[in-house]
Amino acid sequence: MLVHGRRDISGPVITPWHLHRAWPSSELHVVESEGHGGEDEMELTCRAIDRLALVVPRAGG
């Protein structure tokens, strides 16, 4: 899952868009109202980490 704020002036949204196009199984979520690291972006990022934790085996287990 790729999460990006539309108003992030240091990283234009075209960058994750190109990555998303090159990575067919990815999901791109653009948060229109935020820049870099806003509340909605952090919520989406936490959801992505939770999903990843369900599919990646733990080390040593």
Side-chain angles (χ1 to χ4, degrees):
M1 182 185 295
L2 307 166
V3 179
H4 194 81
R6 169 84 62 195
R7 297 180 181 184
D8 184 348
I9 59 172
S10 64
V13 76
I14 193 71
T15 303
W17 171 251
H18 284 302
L19 178 58
H20 172 61
R21 298 285 298 195
W23 187 5
S25 63
S26 69
E27 295 175 28
L28 174 60
H29 296 269
V30 177
V31 181
E32 297 294 332
S33 61
E34 294 181 351
H36 185 82
E39 189 175 314
D40 291 340
E41 282 182 84
M42 291 299 101
E43 175 63 29
L44 286 167
T45 300
C46 287
R47 281 194 232 159
I49 292 168
D50 289 344
R51 283 174 52 188
L52 184 62
L54 294 174
V55 297
V56 175
R58 292 180 178 221

